[in-house]
Amino acid sequence: MRRRVCEKLLVQCSGNQVKVLDMKEGGDEDATRTDEAVSGKAVTWNGWYVSTLFCAVSLAAFPIFLGFLLLFIKTDPAAIELGGEPLPTHQWQLTQMAFLTCLLLDFVSYLFTVDKEKARLFYFVLVINGLPVVSYGLLSSGVGPILLDAHGRRFIAMRYVVWLFTTPAMLYLYSIVSYIPRHELIIAMALEYVVIITGVLASLLPSFYNIPFLMVCCGCFYRVMHTLNRMLTLAIDDSTHNPEYGRALRGARLFMTVTWIAIPAVWFSAYAQLVSHLAEEVMFEALDFGTKAGISCMILHSSIKTFAEKQEEASQHALFDERQRTIAALEETARTKEKFFAAISHELRTPLNGIIGLADGIMEGSCGDISSRVRDRLGTIKMSGQRLCSLVNDILDAASLRNESLRLVEDNVLLSEVCGHVVELTKPLLKRQVQMVYEVDKDVPIIRGDPERIKQILH
């Protein structure tokens, strides 16, 4: 019962914000967690989420880039039957259907998501999985331009255009599971643009001339991978209290590392003429789908939480712990109060019994004969002492009730005597113009009960 009362007192605390401080040793890492990085709130501009604006700009700019690409770049006939291998039109259709299926599943998940922050991430999924649906559809229909690069390989320009829009969005989705500062995310996204552009130039330029672009591309890609790895490593370090969640994050980090590194590995293998044109295209399609579908499934459908969700969960745990500590403190205060009242009550009962005993002795003639007026005053003193003693006993009984240690003494009870005692205790409380009339049937039988508890009930 006491615990329920304490919880009611804490209802008003449920809306308070709880600030969670990370007190890890090694302050160098924590020093980088600026308020901007750890706030867990999406950045807004003129009332619009910047991330939503980024997705809207990407979806609006993609058709423009695609239109220029289709208008000014035409398919090279030599690239169609390169090395006797026809275009993998059927594989492009299958890849398009795979992306479309993934996009539809994400859309269904979006419809049934009550978390507004997580639902907003569907705009990124629309960029990541929606643009490949368009590009592979154009390729399978023969509209997408296909060229020959300087090394005799098929150069699918539309793929690089899609990567320009999708890989920065993928970087953002990876970043939301961590508390990486925003300036590092922006740098990584800018470097990803450099990776794609220099990769295109390295494909179109002949050997030796493309070496500087290859070096820049590899250096920027290494920096992007370092940032990606740091994002998930920071999230893993924060999951030490939950080993299963940490294992899920390690699996996500391994998947991300393998799939992202495999893309340039395939490019260099094709550059070195180690794989056929068909094998190169199959591997590119598999990695393209794996990286994009993997990140959308990890964020929208798996148990991996965004950093904002983890902050909210930590705040709820902190609030719950604070409530538990406050309840325990209130319970301890209540116990201390009960002990104090019990001690005071015991100390008060001793002199009260002495006063009552002295009044009884004087009324019985231990100090000689007394007048009726003195006897009335002594009777008043006796009744007042009995009333105070009764109040003290009530306090002790209340403490016994809370501790579930109250004992009932069963005895023969004459209700007329009990009622008479209660009347005598109540009369001093009456106003002068009020008269109490007490009548009891003398034939009331003797009952079994605790006389003191019956007096408490009647009084």
Side-chain angles (χ1 to χ4, degrees):
M1 179 177 68
R2 184 190 302 116
R3 186 177 184 85
R4 288 198 299 270
V5 173
C6 294
E7 289 179 346
K8 289 180 180 179
L9 293 175
L10 289 172
V11 169
Q12 60 183 352
C13 300
S14 60
N16 294 343
Q17 294 182 349
V18 179
K19 185 176 182 181
V20 182
L21 299 178
D22 193 349
M23 301 302 292
K24 291 182 181 178
E25 295 182 356
D28 293 339
E29 191 68 29
D30 295 335
T32 63
R33 302 183 192 184
T34 61
D35 292 339
E36 184 186 51
V38 301
S39 62
K41 298 180 180 179
V43 183
T44 59
W45 179 74
N46 289 340
W48 292 86
Y49 289 108
V50 173
S51 57
T52 304
L53 291 175
F54 173 81
C55 294
V57 171
S58 298
L59 292 174
F62 178 73
I64 298 175
F65 276 76
L66 199 59
F68 276 102
L69 182 69
L70 297 177
L71 183 62
F72 294 104
I73 300 179
K74 303 300 180 181
T75 299
D76 188 347
I80 296 178
E81 292 291 339
L82 183 63
E85 296 181 1
L87 294 177
T89 305
H90 182 65
Q91 294 176 7
W92 286 335
Q93 292 175 346
L94 293 178
T95 306
Q96 181 195 24
M97 293 304 299
F99 273 110
L100 183 60
T101 302
C102 186
L103 184 63
L104 290 176
L105 291 176
D106 294 334
F107 179 69
V108 173
S109 177
Y110 163 76
L111 292 178
F112 293 97
T113 300
V114 296
D115 186 353
K116 293 182 179 179
E117 290 297 321
K118 202 157 192 175
R120 193 166 49 83
L121 299 178
F122 176 76
Y123 302 137
F124 284 92
V125 175
L126 188 61
V127 173
I128 294 171
N129 291 333
L131 301 189
V133 172
V134 176
S135 64
Y136 281 105
L138 293 175
L139 287 173
S140 61
S141 61
V143 178
I146 302 174
L147 307 175
L148 282 179
D149 62 14
H151 315 285
R153 312 293 298 183
R154 285 192 180 113
F155 179 80
I156 302 177
M158 190 175 296
R159 174 172 293 148
Y160 290 91
V161 173
V162 171
W163 284 353
L164 278 174
F165 291 95
T166 56
T167 49
M170 294 165 66
L171 283 172
Y172 178 84
L173 284 186
Y174 274 115
S175 72
I176 64 175
V177 304
S178 176
Y179 45 77
I180 186 171
R182 292 193 182 98
H183 72 273
E184 292 190 25
L185 173 62
I186 294 173
I187 293 174
M189 294 171 71
L191 291 176
E192 183 62 27
Y193 286 121
V194 176
V195 169
I196 296 172
I197 295 173
T198 54
V200 171
L201 294 175
S203 297
L204 297 178
L205 294 176
S207 299
F208 183 75
Y209 293 101
N210 64 355
I211 292 179
F213 296 101
L214 282 177
M215 294 176 64
V216 172
C217 181
C218 292
C220 293
F221 181 77
Y222 170 80
R223 182 61 184 175
V224 170
M225 290 302 301
H226 174 75
T227 304
L228 276 172
N229 183 75
R230 184 168 177 268
M231 293 175 186
L232 293 176
T233 301
L234 290 174
I236 293 171
D237 294 339
D238 273 354
S239 64
T240 53
H241 61 284
N242 191 343
E244 293 183 357
Y245 183 65
R247 284 195 292 270
L249 286 174
R250 291 186 184 91
R253 183 177 62 181
L254 178 62
F255 174 83
M256 178 274 298
T257 303
V258 171
T259 52
W260 279 62
I261 293 179
I263 292 176
V266 171
W267 189 93
F268 279 105
S269 298
Y271 180 82
Q273 306 294 325
L274 298 178
V275 295
S276 64
H277 304 292
L278 181 61
E280 175 191 1
E281 186 60 29
V282 169
M283 287 187 287
F284 267 133
E285 292 173 17
L287 293 173
D288 197 21
F289 178 76
T291 53
K292 293 177 172 59
I295 181 62
S296 63
C297 291
M298 184 185 79
I299 298 299
L300 294 182
H301 306 292
S302 74
S303 60
I304 294 179
K305 304 179 181 65
T306 66
F307 181 61
E309 290 175 326
K310 289 187 288 184
Q311 271 197 318
E312 179 64 22
E313 183 178 329
S315 298
Q316 292 297 329
H317 282 302
L319 179 60
F320 177 77
D321 293 340
E322 182 65 23
R323 292 183 63 183
Q324 294 299 108
R325 287 193 296 269
T326 306
I327 290 173
L330 290 174
E331 291 178 341
E332 181 62 27
T333 302
R335 285 191 294 267
T336 303
K337 182 188 69 174
E338 291 171 2
K339 292 178 182 178
F340 172 76
F341 280 132
I344 294 298
S345 300
H346 282 293
E347 294 297 328
L348 288 175
R349 190 162 55 176
T350 300
L352 285 174
N353 288 330
I355 293 172
I356 295 171
L358 288 173
D360 274 335
I362 295 174
M363 291 174 66
E364 291 176 1
S366 61
C367 296
D369 294 335
I370 57 175
S371 64
S372 59
R373 184 178 180 182
V374 173
R375 185 178 297 277
D376 290 341
R377 297 294 184 268
L378 289 173
T380 303
I381 293 173
K382 178 182 176 180
M383 283 188 296
S384 299
Q386 288 175 338
R387 175 170 173 75
L388 288 175
C389 191
S390 177
L391 291 175
V392 170
N393 290 333
D394 289 343
I395 294 174
L396 294 174
D397 291 340
S400 299
L401 278 173
R402 283 189 289 267
N403 296 328
E404 299 181 357
S405 60
L406 182 65
R407 294 182 180 181
L408 299 177
V409 179
E410 187 176 356
D411 196 1
N412 293 327
V413 179
L414 185 60
L415 286 179
S416 58
E417 293 183 359
V418 172
C419 293
H421 181 77
V422 173
V423 169
E424 291 298 324
L425 289 175
T426 307
K427 280 183 178 180
L429 302 176
L430 299 176
K431 297 180 180 180
R432 292 183 180 181
Q433 65 272 23
V434 178
Q435 183 180 4
M436 178 179 287
V437 179
Y438 165 59
E439 295 180 357
V440 62
D441 192 349
K442 295 181 179 180
D443 296 332
V444 174
I446 297 176
I447 63 174
R448 297 287 293 178
D450 190 327
E452 296 301 324
R453 306 301 167 221
I454 296 175
K455 291 178 184 178
Q456 287 179 338
I457 295 172
L458 294 176
H459 192 263

